[in-house]
Amino acid sequence: MPEKFTRRAVMAAIAATPLLGGATAALAQEKILLRMSTPATQTDFRSQGLEKIFAPAVADFATYEPHYNDTLFKQGTELVAIARGNLEMSITSAQELAKLIPEWSIFTAGYLMRGPEHQRKVFAGDIGKEMYQLVEDKLGVKLLCVNYFGTRQLNLRGDKMIMKPEDLKGVKLRMPGTDAWQFLGRALGADPVPLAFTEVYTALQTGAIDGQDNPLPTDKDKKFYEVTDQIVLTSHLADMNFIAFSKTVWDKLSADQQTTLQKAADDACVSISDAIVENEAQLVDFFKGQGLKVYEPDVEAFRTRVQKMYLESDFSKDWPEGLLDRINAVE
Ligand code: KDO
């Protein structure tokens, strides 16, 4: 029977509206919201891999919501945000993990990882299992997978040739703002300056810093070549990232959803690593085409100094017994 157009019926309908709205919203919210915070741009290979591979694969039960360029959480604060239940995902690094879990500083050491294959194998085996478990136990954060982020090279203003660590004396080299990164800058022979990733372009442009280090694909994505003059192929860190995920959210997923989400992340990490390897191989020509000088220094001189400084550092005291040898032994 149609409702009568009486004042009473209209008032009853209005009163019912928020309830209906609430019910509809509740249905839509059955999907889990996965907010991902990163300082990276949307065009970054990791961002693209997550958007194109991870997000659609989990879309049946989760809504992936990325936040780029530090707009949700500041660089380096994401892991604590996940641990406190304020964020669901981030793209993290060994350097950020080492801030909270000192054993992880082993993976911040320059000239340790030998490249993408070495990284993949280290984390696919027992070492990965043990070190991921440590993060889960101590932080309540699940590391879903590792991706190759490219090999870090020096990218400088000016035309002073840098052939050995001594040539970096007095060079204001921007490094991200954690102890592990600052130490790497010193180990290379430079004067490290802590600065957020999102502020590097302007600092290079104004001359507030003399240079920065990042993998070549990142130098291209952030257009650092517009405001620098040279790339020194020190290859000091085969860099990597990890997809960090809230353990609390993970535990709420069904077993099937966990399997789907893990596979989605694994597929994304493989695709990101492949894309970065392929892109990296083409970039020396690109930067030369942009007028930059690109050259190899005395890499052995850098390697010797950096490895010695790490072994003698306080960081190495926290490295789990025998882990360095085990990492080196992975073929
Ligand atoms: C950077 O700040 O130089 C760095 O490359 C460090 C990486 O560990 C990573 O955090 C990265 O920034 C960000 O994801 C932005 O690309």
Side-chain angles (χ1 to χ4, degrees), residues 15-73:
T17 307
L19 283 178
L20 283 175
T24 315
L27 275 179
Q29 273 170 17
E30 273 173 22
K31 281 197 185 185
I32 302 151
L33 179 63
L34 300 178
R35 291 165 306 153
M36 196 284 293
S37 181
T38 177
T41 61
Q42 183 170 12
T43 49
D44 181 284
F45 283 106
R46 295 160 302 170
S47 310
Q48 285 299 299
L50 287 171
E51 275 193 22
K52 297 204 171 118
I53 295 168
F54 177 82
V58 299
D60 278 351
F61 59 91
T63 305
Y64 177 67
E65 187 185 282
H67 295 261
Y68 300 114
N69 303 306
D70 263 355
T71 44
L72 190 57
F73 286 94

Side-chain angles (χ1 to χ4, degrees), residues 15-212:
T17 307
L19 283 178
L20 283 175
T24 315
L27 275 179
Q29 273 170 17
E30 273 173 22
K31 281 197 185 185
I32 302 151
L33 179 63
L34 300 178
R35 291 165 306 153
M36 196 284 293
S37 181
T38 177
T41 61
Q42 183 170 12
T43 49
D44 181 284
F45 283 106
R46 295 160 302 170
S47 310
Q48 285 299 299
L50 287 171
E51 275 193 22
K52 297 204 171 118
I53 295 168
F54 177 82
V58 299
D60 278 351
F61 59 91
T63 305
Y64 177 67
E65 187 185 282
H67 295 261
Y68 300 114
N69 303 306
D70 263 355
T71 44
L72 190 57
F73 286 94
K74 285 212 175 315
Q75 182 173 25
T77 63
E78 304 93 340
L79 282 174
V80 172
I82 297 176
R84 289 190 180 152
N86 296 327
L87 179 68
E88 290 76 41
M89 291 178 70
S90 76
I91 302 171
T92 196
S93 62
Q95 290 75 11
E96 282 161 15
L97 287 156
K99 226 168 41 171
L100 304 162
I101 303 172
E103 290 90 331
W104 265 78
S105 71
I106 194 163
F107 296 118
T108 70
Y111 298 106
L112 168 69
M113 286 290 163
R114 299 193 300 269
E117 265 310 284
H118 187 213
Q119 264 165 18
R120 194 188 58 73
K121 287 182 184 159
V122 165
F123 286 97
D126 286 344
I127 300 173
K129 262 191 221 122
E130 291 160 26
M131 297 303 277
Y132 283 3
Q133 193 61 50
L134 199 61
V135 179
E136 220 172 292
D137 295 345
K138 290 202 173 173
L139 211 58
V141 171
K142 229 182 133 52
L143 299 180
L144 295 175
C145 55
V146 60
N147 73 266
Y148 177 60
F149 179 46
T151 297
R152 293 180 89 94
Q153 317 288 359
L154 297 177
N155 172 215
L156 308 172
R157 287 161 48 97
D159 55 8
K160 181 187 173 195
M161 289 274 285
I162 304 294
M163 295 307 289
K164 37 189 190 340
E166 297 77 67
D167 299 331
L168 280 176
K169 198 168 180 340
V171 170
K172 282 183 276 164
L173 182 69
R174 175 272 171 180
M175 299 295 286
T178 69
D179 288 352
W181 283 117
Q182 295 293 300
F183 185 81
L184 179 58
R186 277 198 299 282
L188 288 165
D191 286 1
V193 179
L195 198 66
F197 181 69
T198 47
E199 289 165 28
V200 175
Y201 184 98
T202 311
L204 287 168
Q205 193 174 37
T206 58
I209 52 173
D210 300 320
Q212 62 94 28

